[in-house]
Amino acid sequence: MPKPLVIVESPAKARTIAGYLGQEYVVESSIGHVRDLPASPAEVPEEYRSGEMARLAGVDPENDFKTIYISRGRAKDQIKKLRLLLKDASELYLATDEDREGESIAWHLHEVLKPRVPVRRMVFHEITPQAIQRAVDESRDIDLPLVDAQETRRIVDRLYGWELSPVLWRRVRQGLSAGRVQSVATRLVVERERERMAFRPAGWSDLEGDFVPAASDDDDRVAFTAGLHAVDDRRVADRNSFDQQGNLKKPDVVVLDEAGATGLAARLDGKPFTVTSVEQRPWTERPKPPFMTSTLQQAASSKLRWGAARTMQVAQRLYENGYITYMRTDSTTLSETAINAARAAIASRYGQEFLADGPRQYARKVKNAQEAHEAIRPAGDEFRSPEEVSAAVDVDEARLYDLIWRRTVASQMRDALGQRTSVVLAATSSTGERVDFQTSGTVITFAGHRRAYGEGDDVDEGASDEQDRRLPPLVEGDVLDANELRVRSHTTSPPNRYTEASLVKALEELGIGRPSTYAAILSTIQDRGYVFKRGSSLIPTWLAFAVIGLLETHFPRLVDYRFTAELEDDLDAIARREKERVPWLRDFYFGDAPATDGKAGLRALVTVKLDEIDAREVNSFPIGTTEDGDDVVVRVGRYGPYLQKGEERASIPEDLPPDELTVARALELLAEPSGDRALGEDPDTGLQVFAKAGRFGPYVQLGEQEEGSKVRPKTASLFKSMTLDSVTLEDALRLLQLPRTVGADEDGNEITALNGRYGPYIKRKEDTRSLDSEDELFTVSLEHALAMFAAPKLRRGQQRVAAPPLKELGEDPVSGKPVVVKEGRFGPYVTDGETNASLRAGDSVEEITMERAAELLADRRAKGPTKKAARKKAAASKKATKKATAAKQAAKKKKPE
């Protein structure tokens, strides 16, 4: 009997849903997207390889933005499998995710499968038996306006990137990319670094004292701390008194230096203090809304120290296995079922006194018709406890589920209540100065929602110093003794760099991007070399400065925050049927205004002549002027950023943040040995031997190339154990002997020792064997070499005992296997034995932590298998498909007439 075919996006989701639907349904995965725009003009089908369709690889603006989609690799094999299954299906249910991207995937599946059976769209925001059955019963047609919005987004991103990126190739560096959202995200990070570079610190001092009521019985006196607030009714400076250039915002503020504060403390020594004011008022704190995508990423960053990619990867697993609702949403609304489940959990675990008087809703004005309409919460009509889930999932999943459970439950609990007390103390110094000290404290009298979800440590919401500070009972007129007055010196701090969490928050507040894109944006700007991480901070590279500077100067509208946010609103309007796709695209790309108009179309904006963009100006950043009047400039070159002062040049360390590159630091770098130095004379040839820094690393060179000669001097790379500063003439002459002739075998075949891309080795004709160390290049004997060639050649990595790890970090929370740092062909990397992830700029072997390693591994897993692994998997899938087809045809032949 034919059965309904249900197609979901991932194999994990397919397994879970198949278990709920039972034998009456066939459930299969599309494994994500089944087709996309060509990755290059070479992938465009032959019949379309002309004009704009070829130039923009699958998009033709001249023909109403007609698009060509192709399937590649694994997707092709999966489509064949789905077509076979569809032949025996009674109907087709497209059950991809309920957001805009999921709707588009459903449409693409319909287009490539061309079903001849009834087709229904099945949507759900949680994977539970009830939700899946309800999705089947309430299935609908594909929402074409939603598809139009997503396809418009895809076309816009293609046009933006393919029109702007070539400008960057020609004026900054080959291979760079511009992106509608990635460029704006990078601009935010660059602007914050500019603020830090322009920042000038301000210093000030104040006093802090320990006070006790003046009582005869010392044992009954409760001490508390208060800080200097005013002198002669003028406020004492604090960090909010100064601007970013270190200037006072208001002239009537008292600024004490250390000497002034010390003198004031001496003049107050032994003087009585009197309570002049006591204010008490009730304190209330409402619970936060349930999580949406951005706030989940922010909370996971601050509470779990996770990056956005790791958070979304773990959330995806929880969703696919039926533990939480859909995790890509910008809604904070809870369904009635969810509210009832949360209230039941509160009553059971915390008691009725913690229940809010009625259901709490946290509605947001969300325009995005494409997003899910419920917050991220535990799945089901009854919430499984964190303890129950913890027993069934891995450590990361348990931690994230616990966070989601607590935030959801807390949203339906009563407010936290307390009492806030502010106290002002006054005294007169020995020289007649009147000083005021101030303190305050909050005592929580009812924990409320805090019993489930502790507040105060999410992004940008640091716990107050006043919180839970207990003060003794005080009334106006009480006399106090100062046990100690301490001088405190302070310096203003530059604005904090963005973290992944705070950057997501900024993008969301600006209306840029959508929940499903944030993790990808953060990964992209790091992978492209625009941003690197130091700890949790995002630091822009000088390359990012060059790219953003070019875009701001010559294409300001395309990196304007308001323009990007309005573009998102327009896409939402297309999804709501308020605008039509083709007319909107035509206006976006072509426009009606000339290129000088700020509202010109994209094509007009990018037709700026390249000779109008000064590459040297775009890639140059003045740092300052030396005492001798020389300008120090950072330039972004073909092989990386470098410093220039007159004719002097020096490379800039990759992990040096731009705001730390002062004139003084620049002069230190310029003073360091460049590596281009003469080591001495070769006694055999009489030629000078030089040590140099090259594009591919340090090397030594015999002699100099004569003008007009095509014969290049002999060179040799330094060993890993050598440095340009320490290499000697003797070392250099030994290196220049390589490759070394070891001897010849019985047949007269020469054996040589060489240093290659993958390390030291010996060679006989086309046969090679790796050596254990570079030093063996000089010591390996003919006898030993012949023995190595006589032994069977093993695969790479089997010939030698694996080198010990550089560092052991601990157990990976996902795989449960030990994570170590190893040295690889392309630098150090972390691995749990299954997944390898290279260290990025800003990471170091010495400072990397288990948390950072887990984040790198999560990013690597989120990107899927490498091309090589994907090809192997695709080949295996193709083989399995052929085998299944053959078996099916054989079964048909055996079927009785």
Side-chain angles (χ1 to χ4, degrees):
M1 274 296 286
K3 298 177 182 179
L5 172 62
V6 179
I7 302 179
V8 299
E9 286 181 59
S10 74
K13 194 189 299 185
R15 288 191 294 271
T16 306
I17 292 175
Y20 294 155
L21 290 176
Q23 299 297 319
E24 298 303 312
Y25 292 80
V26 175
V27 184
E28 186 52 67
S29 165
S30 70
I31 316 182
H33 292 268
V34 292
R35 62 179 191 169
D36 195 6
L37 294 172
S40 68
E43 285 190 346
V44 176
E46 190 68 36
E47 62 269 29
Y48 298 105
R49 287 187 191 174
S50 62
E52 294 291 85
M53 184 69 83
R55 184 178 73 85
L56 297 171
V59 178
D60 185 0
E62 304 289 349
N63 189 17
D64 284 343
F65 299 90
K66 180 180 178 181
T67 53
I68 298 297
Y69 293 101
I70 64 168
S71 300
R72 58 173 73 88
R74 180 175 62 177
K76 284 185 176 181
D77 297 329
Q78 197 64 15
I79 290 170
K80 291 178 183 177
K81 183 177 181 180
L82 292 173
R83 282 173 176 162
L84 283 174
L85 293 172
L86 189 57
K87 286 182 179 179
D88 294 330
S90 58
E91 53 189 326
L92 174 61
Y93 285 94
L94 299 172
T96 49
D97 290 338
E98 66 171 327
D99 60 7
R100 197 155 65 192
E101 188 174 8
E103 201 75 22
S104 177
I105 292 174
W107 175 76
H108 279 287
L109 282 166
H110 185 277
E111 292 295 297
V112 298
L113 296 178
K114 304 186 185 305
R116 297 181 181 179
V117 295
V119 179
R120 301 296 293 164
R121 177 79 169 99
M122 205 175 124
V123 293
F124 43 85
H125 66 272
E126 60 182 341
I127 303 176
T128 61
Q130 300 87 349
I132 298 304
Q133 189 56 54
R134 187 162 53 248
V136 172
D137 297 338
E138 299 175 1
S139 59
R140 58 169 173 80
D141 294 331
I142 293 175
D143 189 332
L144 292 179
L146 217 56
V147 174
D148 275 350
Q150 178 61 24
E151 296 310 293
T152 303
R153 174 194 290 275
R154 186 70 187 91
I155 293 169
V156 165
D157 288 345
R158 170 55 58 92
L159 296 173
Y160 190 111
W162 283 59
E163 292 286 15
L164 273 182
S165 296
V167 178
L168 302 182
W169 302 344
R170 291 171 174 82
R171 287 297 177 261
V172 181
R173 183 186 297 174
Q174 192 69 28
L176 296 178
S177 70
R180 181 177 57 88
V181 179
Q182 82 174 45
S183 296
V184 174
T186 303
R187 182 187 178 195
L188 282 168
V189 181
V190 168
E191 284 191 335
R192 180 59 53 87
E193 196 72 10
R194 288 172 180 162
E195 291 174 13
R196 291 176 63 89
M197 294 168 76
F199 173 79
R200 297 293 178 267
W204 79 99
S205 296
D206 62 11
L207 297 177
E208 180 183 74
D210 294 333
F211 298 89
V212 293
S216 58
D217 188 352
D218 288 348
D219 294 336
D220 294 336
R221 302 199 296 179
V222 178
F224 65 94
T225 302
L228 180 64
H229 177 67
V231 176
D232 289 332
D233 296 324
R234 292 173 61 201
R235 260 190 95 160
V236 173
D238 59 19
R239 67 181 64 257
N240 296 319
S241 303
F242 303 92
D243 61 22
Q244 294 297 301
Q245 279 67 51
N247 302 313
L248 273 175
K249 295 178 182 177
K250 296 180 180 179
D252 59 343
V253 174
V254 177
V255 181
L256 294 174
D257 57 16
E258 188 172 351
T262 301
L264 180 60
R267 295 192 294 276
L268 289 170
D269 186 33
K271 301 297 180 182
F273 284 76
T274 304
V275 176
T276 58
S277 171
V278 178
E279 290 185 6
Q280 291 185 329
R281 58 183 184 275
W283 172 87
T284 303
E285 182 183 70
R286 288 174 56 83
K288 291 180 179 177
F291 284 131
M292 53 184 178
T293 303
S294 59
T295 53
L296 176 64
Q297 291 173 0
Q298 292 163 31
S301 173
S302 59
K303 292 178 180 288
L304 304 179
R305 301 291 181 253
W306 291 359
R310 182 178 179 186
T311 301
M312 295 310 291
Q313 184 188 41
V314 176
Q316 180 84 32
R317 296 201 302 267
L318 286 172
Y319 166 64
E320 290 179 345
N321 289 293
Y323 292 110
I324 64 171
T325 54
Y326 191 53
M327 68 291 165
R328 293 188 179 96
T329 174
D330 47 14
S331 171
T332 55
T333 302
L334 289 177
S335 66
E336 184 178 347
T337 299
I339 290 174
N340 292 337
R343 293 177 69 84
I346 295 165
S348 172
R349 178 170 291 214
Y350 304 110
Q352 291 287 339
E353 68 271 22
F354 284 91
L355 262 176
D357 294 336
R360 290 183 184 268
Q361 278 291 10
Y362 301 85
R364 296 181 73 235
K365 294 181 179 179
V366 180
K367 298 179 181 179
N368 313 324
Q370 81 278 14
E371 304 298 352
H373 296 294
E374 190 169 4
I376 304 169
R377 62 166 176 85
D381 297 341
E382 294 182 4
F383 293 168
R384 281 168 281 194
S385 70
E387 294 78 14
E388 179 186 351
V389 171
S390 179
V393 300
D394 66 34
V395 175
D396 271 9
E397 291 168 16
R399 294 176 71 191
L400 191 62
Y401 180 84
D402 178 70
L403 194 65
I404 293 168
W405 185 92
R406 289 190 290 112
R407 178 78 165 233
T408 307
V409 167
S411 73
Q412 299 303 314
M413 296 173 74
R414 286 181 59 192
D415 296 346
L417 304 175
Q419 192 77 21
R420 180 185 172 92
T421 303
S422 298
V423 179
V424 178
L425 324 172
T428 302
S429 73
S430 59
T431 56
E433 299 154 300
R434 175 187 166 86
V435 297
D436 291 331
F437 280 67
Q438 195 174 73
T439 188
S440 58
T442 301
V443 177
I444 296 176
T445 56
F446 177 70
H449 62 88
R450 285 171 168 261
R451 280 291 302 276
Y453 186 86
E455 300 291 334
D457 53 349
D458 280 358
V459 170
D460 297 332
E461 295 178 13
S464 170
D465 293 336
E466 304 169 358
Q467 192 170 293
D468 296 331
R469 182 189 294 165
R470 294 187 176 275
L471 300 175
L474 297 168
V475 295
E476 291 184 23
D478 281 352
V479 178
L480 305 171
D481 292 334
N483 281 350
E484 181 186 8
L485 291 177
R486 296 177 294 277
V487 175
R488 300 184 303 177
S489 295
H490 310 274
T491 304
T492 54
S493 301
N496 291 331
R497 288 191 175 98
Y498 284 109
T499 63
E500 288 195 357
S502 59
L503 183 57
V504 165
K505 184 177 182 181
L507 290 169
E508 182 198 27
E509 289 174 348
L510 290 169
I512 296 167
R514 286 299 180 257
S516 60
T517 66
Y518 290 140
I521 291 166
L522 293 168
S523 292
T524 298
I525 63 176
Q526 293 176 67
D527 293 342
R528 298 284 165 84
Y530 296 143
V531 171
F532 66 93
K533 290 181 77 171
R534 176 189 281 181
S536 61
S537 298
L538 297 175
I539 303 173
T541 61
W542 288 107
L543 179 63
F545 272 71
V547 168
I548 297 305
L550 184 152
L551 295 177
E552 287 175 330
T553 303
H554 299 280
F555 309 100
R557 181 167 172 246
L558 298 181
V559 286
D560 180 77
Y561 301 133
R562 182 178 296 179
F563 167 77
T564 309
E566 288 174 351
L567 193 150
E568 295 284 359
D569 291 339
D570 287 342
L571 294 174
D572 295 337
I574 293 171
R576 296 192 301 270
R577 298 179 172 86
E578 294 170 5
K579 292 188 177 183
E580 294 184 17
R581 169 184 167 184
V582 172
W584 185 89
L585 279 170
R586 193 179 295 121
D587 183 61
F588 167 77
Y589 187 69
F590 293 108
D592 297 321
T596 55
D597 194 310
K599 294 184 179 180
L602 175 64
R603 190 170 72 170
L605 286 171
V606 296
T607 53
V608 176
K609 294 179 182 178
L610 280 175
D611 56 12
E612 293 180 9
I613 302 177
D614 186 334
R616 187 174 180 82
E617 181 182 343
V618 164
N619 293 287
S620 300
F621 307 95
I623 297 299
T625 305
T626 67
E627 293 180 356
D628 298 332
D630 295 324
D631 293 329
V632 181
V633 181
V634 171
R635 301 200 191 280
V636 176
R638 183 178 178 185
Y639 304 119
Y642 63 92
L643 283 164
Q644 183 171 358
K645 179 173 79 73
E647 297 300 316
E648 296 180 65
R649 294 189 180 193
S651 296
I652 299 173
E654 288 185 356
D655 59 351
L656 181 65
D659 77 324
E660 295 181 13
L661 186 55
T662 60
V663 171
R665 182 73 178 102
L667 291 176
E668 289 177 7
L669 293 171
L670 287 163
E672 290 179 358
S674 66
D676 290 5
R677 62 190 181 96
L679 299 177
E681 189 177 280
D682 174 22
D684 294 336
T685 64
L687 297 174
Q688 245 344 292
V689 179
F690 299 93
K692 296 192 173 189
R695 177 183 174 186
F696 301 109
Y699 66 98
V700 291
Q701 177 177 303
L702 180 62
E704 292 186 283
Q705 187 166 1
E706 295 180 9
E707 188 174 348
S709 173
K710 294 183 179 180
V711 179
R712 294 185 177 182
K714 186 173 184 180
T715 61
S717 297
L718 266 61
F719 286 175
K720 291 180 180 178
S721 58
M722 299 175 178
T723 65
L724 281 173
D725 295 340
S726 62
V727 66
T728 65
L729 176 62
E730 183 182 359
D731 294 331
L733 293 174
R734 291 182 75 206
L735 292 171
L736 290 166
Q737 292 174 13
L738 298 174
R740 164 179 164 253
T741 301
V742 178
D745 64 9
E746 298 175 342
D747 300 325
N749 296 312
E750 188 176 76
I751 298 174
T752 54
L754 310 91
N755 207 5
R757 179 181 178 186
Y758 304 122
Y761 66 102
I762 54 174
K763 181 178 181 181
R764 180 178 63 179
K765 298 179 71 173
E766 299 303 318
D767 199 5
T768 61
R769 295 290 188 275
S770 294
L771 296 173
D772 289 327
S773 70
E774 290 174 316
D775 288 335
E776 279 194 87
L777 289 168
F778 301 114
T779 60
V780 63
S781 65
L782 177 60
E783 182 182 6
H784 183 46
L786 291 172
M788 291 176 69
F789 282 117
K793 186 172 184 178
L794 302 176
R795 292 181 180 179
R796 183 175 293 154
Q798 292 181 307
Q799 287 180 273
R800 294 170 292 182
V801 177
L806 303 177
K807 190 174 184 180
E808 296 179 358
L809 298 174
E811 191 176 279
D812 181 64
V814 175
S815 66
K817 297 185 177 183
V819 177
V820 296
V821 184
K822 289 188 173 184
E823 183 66 49
R825 283 163 47 192
F826 306 110
Y829 66 97
V830 292
T831 179
D832 65 348
E834 295 179 351
T835 305
N836 300 338
S838 298
L839 270 61
R840 289 175 173 164
D843 295 324
S844 68
V845 175
E846 295 75 22
E847 296 180 1
I848 192 166
T849 62
M850 182 62 237
E851 289 75 15
R852 176 60 174 156
E855 182 182 333
L856 292 171
L857 290 170
D859 283 353
R860 176 64 261 178
R861 293 187 190 104
K863 292 175 183 175
T866 60
K867 291 182 179 180
K868 186 176 180 181
R871 284 196 297 268
K872 286 183 178 179
K873 191 172 181 181
S877 174
K878 189 173 183 179
K879 187 176 180 181
T881 303
K882 287 181 178 179
K883 190 174 180 181
T885 305
K888 193 170 183 179
Q889 290 173 346
K892 284 182 178 179
K893 290 178 181 179
K894 292 181 180 179
K895 194 178 293 183
E897 295 295 331

